[in-house]
Amino acid sequence: MTYEERRAYLGIEPHRGARPATRFHRGGECIEVEMISGPENPYRDMVVHSLQTWGGPSDSKIRTWESLSPGARMAMAKNILTGNALPLALELPDFYFEIRNMVRYGYDQVVRTRLGVTYSSEGTRDNDVADIGVMVSPRIWDNPGARMDFEDSVAESKEGYAALVRDGIPWSDARALIPQGILHRFAWDVNYMTLKNFLGKRMMLCMDYPIVTMAWKMRKVLEERYAVLALPLRPNCDYAKVCTMRGADRDAELTSNLFANCGRWPDRRDGTSAPNVSEFQVSSTEKEWLEQWVPGGFFEGTVEHDWAEAFEKDRRFFE
C-alpha cells in the first residue's frame, strides 16, 4: 500500500479540495445522537455495588444479585436512582455517544463538563471545511430578510476561506474566517452520574437551544434502551418547581439575565415575577422547537413519569 492508500484504508484521510458550498439547517433539527455502546446490565452492577456493606461472611458463597428476587432488585435500583442509597453506584454505568451535526459553539459548552468524561472531535485544522454545513437559529431562518443576510455573510466567509487555501494557506490558518455556526461531530464517553448532572442543567430551556436540543435527544436515546435510568433525568427546575435562573434575588441573577423566563415554572414559589432585567424578551429555547426536533421525547415540567411502567419496559434486566 502507498502512504495515501494506507490513510484511506484506516479512515484517517483528510477531506481535501472542497469547493465553497453550504447546506443550511434550521436549528437543532439536524442534530443526531447515537449511543454506540452501553452497559450489558447497569442495574445489576449498581445493586451489587450498593449492597456490599451487608450480608454474611465473604466465604459464605452468597452471591449478592442471585440472592435477590426480581422485585427486590427493582426496589434497590429505585433506591439508588432516587437518592435513598449512597450515590457511588451512579458512577458505574458508562455510555459512549456519537453526536453528529452539533453546532461548533455548542460543543464548546459541552466540554465544560470535565469529570467522568472523555471526548474526541472533528478537526477544522485537519480538513478542508469550505463545504461544511451551518446551523441557523429559527429566529433567523423564519425571518426572510435576516436569513438572506445570514446566508450571504456565510457565503462571503467561505469564499474568503477558499481563496486563502488556493493561495497555499494551511487549513488551520484559514479557518479563522469560518463562522461559529458550522456543524461539528464529536464522540464522548460519560458515566451516569455525570450524565445526570449534565442533563439536569442542559435540558433547561434557559440554556442555548443547540445544547438543549442535544440534551433532550440524549435522554430520548437513553430511554429507548434503559427506561429506568432515563426516568429521573429531567431539568433541575422540575425538581425545584421554580425557575432556578431567576427570582432568587441573588447576585447569580446578574449573570443569567439575557433571556426571559421560558414559562416552564414561575420566577418565585409564590407565583410573583422577578424584576424584568432580561436583555431579550424571549426564551433562550422555545418549547415548540423541541416538540418539533425531539418528537415524543419532550415533556412538560408537570408531567409525572411512571416508575412501574419504566420497570416493565426494563424487566429483562431484573429477571
Side-chain angles (χ1 to χ4, degrees):
M1 274 186 197
T2 66
Y3 174 77
E4 289 300 328
E5 289 172 340
R6 183 68 176 171
R7 293 185 80 179
Y9 174 72
L10 293 173
I12 56 175
E13 188 175 26
H15 182 55
R16 301 188 183 95
R19 298 176 61 84
T22 305
R23 292 176 298 280
F24 293 98
H25 302 266
R26 182 180 183 272
E29 64 185 7
C30 63
I31 297 174
E32 299 177 3
V33 174
E34 180 182 0
M35 186 190 296
I36 303 296
S37 63
E40 177 186 356
N41 188 340
Y43 310 110
R44 179 187 58 205
D45 300 344
M46 294 164 68
V47 168
V48 170
H49 198 74
S50 295
L51 294 180
Q52 289 305 300
T53 302
W54 303 278
S58 60
D59 61 354
S60 64
K61 298 184 179 181
I62 293 175
R63 297 175 62 83
T64 305
W65 180 257
E66 286 75 9
S67 67
L68 299 174
S69 68
R73 295 167 183 171
M74 292 179 183
M76 192 60 207
K78 184 177 179 181
N79 283 339
I80 296 167
L81 292 170
T82 55
N84 291 303
L86 290 175
L88 304 177
L90 298 178
E91 298 181 37
L92 297 179
D94 192 80
F95 313 94
Y96 190 63
F97 292 94
E98 184 176 57
I99 313 296
R100 297 180 288 271
N101 303 328
M102 180 56 163
V103 71
R104 183 60 180 79
Y105 63 79
Y107 173 70
D108 291 344
Q109 297 180 41
V110 173
V111 295
R112 292 176 183 174
T113 302
R114 298 304 306 155
L115 298 178
V117 298
T118 185
Y119 303 96
S120 180
S121 84
E122 182 179 9
T124 54
R125 76 185 298 266
D126 306 286
N127 298 283
D128 186 336
V129 295
D131 58 352
I132 199 165
V134 170
M135 187 180 295
V136 187
S137 165
R139 295 192 177 102
I140 296 174
W141 184 280
D142 299 339
N143 181 324
R147 181 177 173 184
M148 182 179 296
D149 291 341
F150 182 92
E151 293 185 0
D152 287 347
S153 297
V154 171
E156 184 177 356
S157 71
K158 291 285 196 74
E159 290 290 348
Y161 171 89
L164 291 173
V165 172
R166 286 195 301 270
D167 290 340
I169 302 300
W171 302 322
S172 56
D173 297 330
R175 62 179 170 169
L177 278 176
I178 296 298
Q180 290 192 65
I182 60 172
L183 302 184
H184 192 64
R185 181 184 67 250
F186 68 96
W188 68 323
D189 181 269
V190 57
N191 70 45
Y192 180 78
M193 179 181 281
T194 298
L195 182 64
K196 183 176 185 294
N197 293 335
F198 174 86
L199 295 185
K201 184 76 169 180
R202 298 303 187 177
M203 287 173 69
M204 295 196 298
L205 275 63
C206 57
M207 298 286 122
D208 207 4
Y209 79 86
I211 200 168
V212 176
T213 305
M214 189 198 87
W216 280 90
K217 288 188 176 185
M218 290 184 76
R219 186 196 183 279
K220 183 181 180 185
V221 167
L222 187 74
E223 183 180 30
E224 290 169 355
R225 194 180 299 190
Y226 309 107
V228 173
L229 285 183
L231 191 144
L233 305 181
R234 56 192 307 155
N236 288 340
C237 54
D238 286 3
Y239 288 105
K241 299 190 183 306
V242 69
C243 180
T244 58
M245 298 294 285
R246 296 168 52 82
D249 298 321
R250 61 188 192 275
D251 282 348
E253 177 87 0
L254 304 177
T255 66
S256 57
N257 62 359
L258 272 180
F259 293 94
N261 188 317
C262 73
R264 192 174 180 92
W265 295 101
D267 287 350
R268 297 189 173 111
R269 296 185 190 282
D270 61 6
T272 61
S273 297
N276 186 353
V277 295
S278 300
E279 194 77 20
F280 304 102
Q281 299 306 310
V282 292
S283 173
S284 181
T285 300
E286 303 290 349
K287 73 171 186 177
E288 291 79 11
W289 300 345
L290 297 176
E291 289 169 344
Q292 296 169 22
W293 303 335
V294 197
F298 178 75
F299 52 84
E300 296 286 358
T302 54
V303 169
E304 295 291 339
H305 295 302
D306 189 338
W307 281 97
E309 181 181 348
F311 274 114
E312 187 59 34
K313 290 179 180 178
D314 280 0
R315 176 170 289 278
R316 66 193 184 280
F317 292 112
F318 295 94
E319 294 181 334

